[in-house]
Amino acid sequence: MKIGIVCYPTYGGSGVLATELGKGLAQKGHQVHFITYRQPARLTSFQENVFYHEVSNADYPLFEYPPYDTALASKLVDVVKHANLDILHVHYAIPHAAVAYMAKKILLTENRYVPTITTLHGTDITLVGSNRAFAPVVEFSINKSDGVTAVSESLKQQTLDYFNIDTDIKVIYNFIDFERFRKVNKDHFKKAIAPNGERILVHTSNFRKVKRVEDVIRIFKKVHDVMPSKLLLIGDGPERQKLESLCREIGLCDEIRFLGKQDAIEELLAVSDLFLIPSESESFGLAALEAMACQVPVISSNAGGLPEVNIHGETGFLADVGNVDQMAHHAITILNDNDILQKFRANALEKAKEFDLQRILPLYEEYYQHILDTCVYSNA
Ligand code: GMT
């Protein structure tokens, strides 16, 4: 198949997932065309069957807001025609689903029909999509997609709750590549981070409010009060300054390390004992899955799709959003005893295997084929 993939090229979960999906499909012999405004963060080296088309925007003084949607739609029309794409798969509804619809309509004027699939990732529904500023377009463009997938049952349900959806939504979970994410021996790293054998807790995110990174620090403080431990904060984002101030306020600057954006996250996960993800809202929690694949148990909130990934009492523990005491209590339960920790580690790995790339990739291929076989031109 010749597949066009539209995504955000950043480190965010939707862009990461879209890029890994495209790379996986290319490995299986499909021709994959990434169409976005910058080289995707995870598309760093040459790979057969992979193409990248950059969307360049017009720089004209009149445009206070450069019209990316228009530039992207034009690029999609161009790539569909010239690369002869079979299907367009857009990740994150805003603005990609609406732009794909626009491209589809333009192509129809030339008697060319390209089916579009939209994958909903989370905040495109929960935080941003349901905002009245976007909702009518989000609802319309979901309904006008030939296929729609959501990354968890919870996200599917939220989409049905927020919008009037008259099309099927198929749940295809986030996936993990075990070739990359697995526990490898990085003892020298561990020694550098925790020279006295301290427990290592870790959090990765884009440091947005929705991630509640303050809770991560407060949970860590409670753990640190009872056992020698270190906290690694990986990523960067708008909350960073506030978080650094909090570390100073509680006097734990030497125990908490801000590592910024890291490419080789798996190496840091390989030396970690516990992953913290107390998010306010989380459609799936790809970061938690990455940790679990590296045998790191998870303490999470019970928001959104997290309970579909992190199984309470098996792969880690869940608690209500904001319940820092409970989360700290759970963290201590796991970290206090090596046998318990080992059991949770093994369970985390077993659960992660359900989301193996090798299992999930064929689901996308089957779904593409299903859409190609059944899409009806009248949907345009
Ligand atoms: O978590 C983020 O803020 C990034 C965001 C994105 O859209 O890039 O991630 C969302 O998509 C991921 C991949 O499907 C999911 O694993 C994350 O749970 C989801 N984030 C939220 O729902 C907050």
Side-chain angles (χ1 to χ4, degrees):
M1 258 180 258
K2 291 183 178 173
I3 304 154
I5 291 189
V6 178
C7 63
Y8 284 101
T10 53
Y11 280 89
S14 63
V16 166
L17 195 99
T19 312
E20 296 299 343
L21 173 64
K23 283 161 49 179
L25 290 166
Q27 253 174 26
K28 294 185 87 173
H30 299 287
Q31 202 181 87
V32 177
H33 293 257
F34 288 99
I35 307 149
T36 182
Y37 59 83
R38 200 190 310 132
Q39 181 96 6
R42 290 260 179 114
L43 195 67
T44 44
S45 54
F46 171 80
Q47 193 184 322
E48 214 180 325
N49 296 328
V50 171
F51 298 80
Y52 165 59
H53 306 267
E54 188 155 306
V55 181
S56 43
N57 214 333
D59 183 16
Y60 186 64
L62 179 68
F63 299 146
E64 202 177 331
Y65 302 101
Y68 179 66
D69 299 21
T70 305
L72 177 60
S74 301
K75 193 66 164 183
L76 292 184
V77 169
D78 183 67
V79 179
V80 169
K81 280 202 306 204
H82 293 104
N84 201 17
L85 298 188
D86 297 309
I87 202 154
L88 267 181
H89 185 179
V90 305
H91 291 259
Y92 206 90
I94 306 166
H96 301 148
V99 171
Y101 177 69
M102 164 84 102
K104 186 159 72 173
K105 285 297 258 186
I106 295 170
L107 287 158
L108 259 182
T109 63
E110 299 177 24
N111 293 321
R112 175 79 167 80
Y113 191 81
V114 64
T116 60
I117 292 177
T118 299
T119 289
L120 308 173
H121 279 275
T123 49
D124 47 352
I125 298 298
T126 54
L127 292 185
V128 195
S130 55
N131 183 317
R132 278 204 301 191
F134 299 107
V137 173
V138 172
E139 182 177 285
F140 175 82
S141 51
I142 289 175
N143 283 329
K144 287 294 180 186
S145 299
D146 296 277
V148 182
T149 75
V151 299
S152 65
E153 290 292 345
S154 154
L155 182 60
K156 172 178 175 174
Q157 197 48 54
Q158 278 176 306
T159 309
L160 297 175
D161 291 345
Y162 290 151
F163 302 108
N164 282 321
I165 299 298
D166 55 26
T167 187
D168 276 347
I169 299 179
K170 180 163 177 68
V171 173
I172 303 184
Y173 283 118
N174 281 182
F175 55 77
I176 190 80
D177 180 0
F178 279 93
E179 298 239 333
R180 175 173 169 198
F181 287 92
R182 62 201 157 90
K183 191 165 174 61
V184 284
N185 190 331
K186 289 275 163 195
D187 275 354
H188 58 293
F189 250 48
K190 195 164 183 126
K191 278 231 156 60
I193 296 165
N196 303 308
E198 296 93 335
R199 294 294 199 201
I200 301 176
L201 291 82
V202 64
H203 168 82
T204 70
S205 76
N206 50 20
F207 291 21
R208 294 188 188 278
K209 259 198 165 21
V210 66
K211 301 291 176 181
R212 296 187 69 99
V213 191
E214 271 193 38
D215 286 2
V216 170
I217 293 174
R218 294 191 193 283
I219 295 164
F220 174 69
K221 162 94 175 79
K222 288 177 186 290
V223 173
H224 187 265
D225 283 347
V226 298
M227 69 178 74
S229 43
K230 301 277 183 187
L231 174 64
L232 303 180
L233 292 174
I234 304 170
D236 212 341
E239 293 290 288
R240 163 106 183 229
Q241 282 267 280
K242 253 209 237 157
L243 299 168
E244 287 190 26
S245 304
L246 178 59
C247 293
R248 283 181 205 139
E249 210 178 282
I250 60 175
L252 284 179
C253 292
D254 291 341
E255 320 302 331
I256 300 176
R257 288 182 66 173
F258 287 84
L259 299 178
K261 289 177 185 158
Q262 294 279 328
D263 281 328
I265 290 181
E266 66 279 13
E267 297 188 350
L268 294 158
L269 291 172
V271 300
S272 298
D273 299 302
L274 196 65
F275 188 81
L276 305 177
I277 177 166
S279 308
E280 179 94 39
S281 161
E282 198 70 63
S283 67
F284 180 92
L286 182 59
L289 176 59
E290 291 178 344
M292 287 161 62
C294 296
Q295 302 182 33
V296 184
V298 173
I299 298 296
S300 72
S301 70
N302 52 15
L306 282 167
E308 295 171 57
V309 185
N310 183 23
I311 308 303
H312 188 71
E314 276 182 37
T315 62
F317 286 105
L318 300 148
D320 288 340
V321 173
N323 194 339
V324 167
D325 285 342
Q326 187 78 57
M327 291 185 200
H329 169 75
H330 288 324
I332 292 163
T333 305
I334 295 181
L335 294 174
N336 238 344
D337 183 311
N338 273 332
D339 291 342
I340 295 179
L341 176 58
Q342 287 315 322
K343 197 164 172 315
F344 275 85
R345 279 188 185 285
N347 292 344
L349 175 61
E350 270 322 294
K351 180 69 186 172
K353 286 180 185 165
E354 290 179 21
F355 305 103
D356 189 337
L357 167 75
Q358 304 303 334
R359 278 184 162 185
I360 306 285
L361 207 67
L363 301 182
Y364 275 110
E365 287 177 290
E366 280 163 28
Y367 190 63
Y368 290 166
Q369 197 53 58
H370 167 71
I371 295 301
L372 282 169
D373 293 344
T374 57
C375 69
V376 275
Y377 286 36
S378 57
N379 194 36

